[in-house]
Amino acid sequence: MSAEDRIERAKTLYERAVFSGDASLLAGAERDLDAVEADAALARGRILHTRFLNERAGAGPSPVEDPAELPLFERAIELYRALGDARGEAEALFWIGCLHQVIRRDNETAVPVLEQSCRLAAQVGDKPTQSEALRHLGIAAHMAGRLDEARERLEESSPLRREVGALPGLAANMVGLAYIAAAQDRRADALATLDEAHAIAQAHGAHAIVRQIEQARTEI
């Protein structure tokens, strides 16, 4: 159900409560509005996170964390849990883990949250969130020097991304796999993986991923 539908239903329930005197109808209206608020908080937090990433990729000064980002994700989790929406909770957990890993460089805090997100997403069949959590668990393993584990996590994530049609995300995973291959002295595999990633990224207009591929080629 769309946010517009939920808001309209909340309005209808309010009107029925007013004219019928049945205040129990208001609980349903509040649940609809809580769902809208949770989705909006998650979406706004994602925007702040993406703004940080874009600023970091630019030529300007190093960006700083927006203090509103974490509270938005935490509010989303609070509402999703109260609503019994495990899918929403898994996604909000992922973004909290991503914030700790990407912005705060704190994998010690990020990894347990990402693992929780991954488990919950798998339970409810949320393959996009599961694939994201696996990717970032792979990144954490790579940063810790656990190359076999990092490769395994990215290879678990990639088929999920392909299945749901997230092909630019698949290309991003392949960049990580190329770095891992290079670190394992499999340079030919690394370059072949980058060639395949480049074809996917170009075909889908994923220019940011193309730049990552070009940088990886230079470094490898």
Side-chain angles (χ1 to χ4, degrees):
M1 182 180 294
S2 69
E4 184 178 352
D5 289 339
R6 290 185 185 279
I7 292 171
E8 186 60 31
R9 189 168 69 175
K11 178 182 176 182
T12 299
L13 289 171
Y14 143 76
E15 290 174 347
R16 286 173 56 192
V18 168
F19 294 114
S20 71
D22 184 0
S24 67
L25 295 169
L26 297 177
E30 288 174 330
R31 284 181 61 83
D32 282 334
L33 295 179
D34 283 347
V36 172
E37 182 184 347
D39 290 346
L42 188 64
R44 190 173 294 278
R46 287 197 303 261
I47 288 171
L48 297 182
H49 190 86
T50 303
R51 182 171 289 126
F52 176 94
L53 296 180
N54 288 342
E55 290 176 358
R56 189 178 65 180
S62 297
V64 297
E65 176 184 341
D66 191 311
E69 183 177 338
L70 182 58
L72 284 167
F73 293 142
E74 290 175 334
R75 177 59 174 161
I77 282 183
E78 177 187 355
L79 290 167
Y80 285 133
R81 283 178 177 164
L83 291 165
D85 185 344
R87 181 180 291 264
E89 182 181 348
E91 187 175 359
L93 281 167
F94 163 72
W95 283 106
I96 288 178
C98 195
L99 180 151
H100 284 292
Q101 181 183 71
V102 175
I103 296 180
R104 299 186 177 182
R105 306 290 187 180
D106 180 8
N107 273 319
E108 185 176 353
T109 300
V111 166
V113 181
L114 291 169
E115 289 174 338
Q116 185 181 0
S117 169
C118 189
R119 287 192 300 270
L120 191 55
Q123 289 170 13
V124 298
D126 182 356
K127 293 178 181 180
T129 297
Q130 185 183 1
S131 74
E132 289 282 7
L134 285 166
R135 168 179 167 79
H136 283 265
L137 288 169
I139 291 171
H142 192 180
M143 293 172 69
R146 302 191 302 273
L147 298 181
D148 288 340
E149 178 186 340
R151 180 181 180 183
E152 181 181 350
R153 293 290 173 266
L154 288 175
E155 287 180 343
E156 288 180 87
S157 171
S158 293
L160 294 172
R161 289 191 157 186
R162 190 184 295 276
E163 184 178 344
V164 300
L167 296 183
L170 173 62
N173 275 5
M174 295 171 78
V175 176
L177 286 166
Y179 277 116
I180 294 167
Q184 293 177 325
D185 296 322
R186 295 184 290 112
R187 188 171 183 275
D189 288 346
L191 295 176
T193 299
L194 289 176
D195 286 343
E196 185 179 355
H198 188 270
I200 294 171
Q202 284 278 42
H204 291 84
H207 304 300
I209 306 302
V210 170
R211 289 193 293 271
Q212 293 177 21
I213 293 166
E214 291 169 350
Q215 181 180 351
R217 279 197 181 120
T218 300
E219 294 180 10
I220 292 172

